[in-house]
Amino acid sequence: MNIPHIHILLNHVPTVGFSLGLALFVAALVTKSQDLKRASLAIVFFIAVLSTAVYVSGNAAADAICPVGQECLPGVAKTAISSHEDIALLAYALMQLTGAFAFIGLWRMRRTSHIGSGTTGAILVLSLLTFGMMARAATIGGEIRHPEIVEGPVEAAESAAGFQLAWFNPPAVKSFVLGSEWVWPASETLHFIGLCLLFSVVLMVDLRILGMAKGMPISAAHKILPWGLLGFGMNVITGMLFFIAAPEQYTGNVVFFWKVVLIVLAGINGLYFLVFDEAWTAGADGDAPLRSKVAALSAIVLWIGVLFCGHMLPFLGNAF
Amino acid sequence: MIKVPRILSAILVAALLLMIAHSALALPQEEPGPSPPSEEEGILKSIENTALAAWIRESPSVFAFAGILLLHTIGMGLVVGICAGLDLRILGVAREIPLAPMRRFFPVLWVGFFLNAATGLLLLYADLSTKLINPDFWAKIVFIALAVVTLLRLKKLVFNDPDIDHKPLPANAKLLAFISLILWIGAVTAGRLMAYIGPVSGLGF
């Protein structure tokens, strides 16, 4: 199995998984079922985390069938690849935003038992938009090597696929990042500040769950989770700026591969704390159950692992 | 509680002084350059050219530059992570978290701080002659010094008081927390930019 293969395997998950999450969310609104709502938001959040792996594996897939500076493999529609990339980026950005709102929704449900009409509305509108974009990206992605699903001549399909925002597509992002010598260092700095914010929340919450700083109610520590999301969001944005500006540094970089794997695992770990109550019930001097302690310890290990991989990108891999 | 960091720092400084003294006495491998360096430059260069400094700077091993810098980054996560949490709480985020128990996070912070003092000194040792003339390096040192002074004041003012949650916050606590946050952001920024301002070790360019 190689990275292009992973892209082929995973690329159906966002569309299929997201439609499931969206359908369950609507069903939860209709039936007013809290459990269903939790489940649907968890699915949306998980798909958003996983979509990072889908997006970044796409460049390797494109390289495999259309190497830079060489002829594409026979039967590959080259312009469909760039259209697919353009729409995939838009879909990815919308999906990250939807995932962030799903996180906020899950976080609020524990605090107030309802997620608020604003968040509900945002999740509904954003997931519809995301689903539309993701379906479009998936369709064009299919047309790259499946002329049998194109209606009419392939060239017509390629031009019809052209849907672009002039200021938000991979080439525009790339020229923004590489256009000034200060965008990269400034983004690196923000990436580190985001890291500190994320570590702030990971350390305080998880160390308390592990038993440090008794006197602080675990239920109160729950309040700071969105600050961790803010740090993570800063790092998704700045990290994707690096990736889109210089994908050749990352697609063949084994350390980057493991960084993405660890981020997905850390996302699943986060889901445990968002979905289940058991970690948060202890008061000021209470102990969290063993399962929560294991999850808290693995959160710290996973995030230090993500930091390790990020740090080693230039040393064990080929990034600068 | 404060004793542990004091002992640690004493050991650390002693070790570093020994190391530098040893390196200064060890054979300087400097090659004659086109123009003879000034006496001070000569000392810095000779320290930089000791086997340990050269190993940190030039070895392809991941335990050399890459590993030391990794520990420095993890230490940053511990120090700035914990400090940011303390500052944000004082500034009014998540008021339901009591302040007094947060002082138990200080040992984690000190572990990070001394990890970074040690790794920072090793990294400085490897690039003494270029780091000491890099204004960004001095900006970072000033930010960290001021941030530590601010942190110690906040600790005395807020976290050392077991009754802090039963009375209003001291008048300048919020100002100090805000300044602390800005200083740590400054330190992280200056630190990160050291990879772009001045020579960079460990990557072979």
Side-chain angles (χ1 to χ4, degrees), chain A:
Chain A
M1 180 142 78
N2 54 19
I3 298 176
H5 193 176
I6 291 174
H7 187 67
I8 304 298
L9 279 177
L10 288 184
N11 65 15
H12 303 88
V13 177
T15 329
V16 176
F18 213 74
S19 51
L20 179 69
L22 182 57
L24 285 182
F25 188 66
V26 173
L29 287 180
V30 173
T31 61
K32 296 196 166 62
S33 158
Q34 292 292 89
D35 289 341
L36 206 53
K37 198 181 279 182
R38 239 176 220 204
S40 65
L41 293 179
I43 291 174
V44 168
F45 179 78
F46 173 67
I47 299 294
V49 169
L50 197 66
S51 67
T52 300
V54 181
Y55 186 90
V56 298
S57 60
N59 281 69
D63 276 350
I65 55 171
C66 236
V68 180
Q70 291 174 44
E71 289 274 305
C72 296
L73 298 184
V76 171
K78 193 173 182 179
T79 48
I81 296 181
S82 62
S83 298
H84 174 61
E85 274 188 71
D86 290 357
I87 299 177
L89 178 59
L90 200 58
Y92 173 74
L94 280 167
M95 182 166 278
Q96 294 309 300
L97 207 55
T98 317
F101 272 100
F103 180 105
I104 295 294
L106 283 166
W107 174 74
R108 277 208 174 158
M109 277 181 86
R110 166 150 307 104
R111 310 194 63 74
T112 58
S113 81
H114 52 83
I115 64 176
S117 50
T119 312
T120 306
I123 291 171
L124 261 183
V125 173
L126 280 170
S127 19
L128 280 170
L129 278 173
T130 307
F131 180 69
M133 283 297 155
M134 198 54 88
R136 191 98 186 86
T139 308
I140 298 169
E143 288 169 2
I144 293 172
R145 278 203 104 174
H146 292 283
E148 72 276 12
I149 64 171
V150 179
E151 290 168 22
V154 176
E155 292 76 19
E158 285 178 8
S159 57
F163 168 91
Q164 280 184 317
L165 280 176
W167 51 270
F168 192 73
N169 51 45
V173 171
K174 185 174 181 149
S175 59
F176 166 71
V177 175
L178 300 181
S180 152
E181 61 177 313
W182 280 105
V183 176
W184 195 290
S187 306
E188 285 278 9
T189 304
L190 288 173
H191 204 68
F192 270 53
I193 293 170
L195 178 167
C196 291
L197 207 48
L198 179 61
F199 263 61
S200 181
V201 172
V202 168
L203 288 173
M204 292 216 169
V205 170
D206 292 320
L207 287 176
R208 171 61 190 92
I209 289 173
L210 285 169
M212 192 184 270
K214 289 269 175 76
M216 177 198 280
I218 300 183
S219 50
H222 180 260
K223 185 88 189 263
I224 62 172
L225 289 185
W227 289 84
L229 180 71
L230 176 66
F232 181 68
M234 283 171 69
N235 282 16
V236 169
I237 293 170
T238 50
M240 289 309 287
L241 288 181
F242 305 136
F243 181 84
I244 294 166
E248 67 281 358
Q249 287 190 42
Y250 304 104
T251 46
N253 193 329
V254 67
V255 199
F256 183 71
F257 174 85
W258 286 109
K259 181 169 182 180
V260 175
V261 169
L262 289 177
I263 290 171
V264 172
L265 291 177
I268 295 170
N269 176 285
L271 216 44
Y272 164 78
F273 289 105
L274 282 172
V275 172
F276 297 104
D277 285 319
E278 59 184 23
W280 306 104
T281 46
D285 293 311
D287 250 321
L290 182 65
R291 216 167 10 185
S292 307
K293 289 187 175 178
V294 172
L297 185 64
S298 40
I300 295 176
V301 171
L302 283 169
W303 285 115
I304 288 185
V306 172
L307 188 155
F308 171 82
C309 290
H311 176 79
M312 286 299 177
L313 283 171
F315 299 107
L316 295 176
N318 61 330
F320 53 74

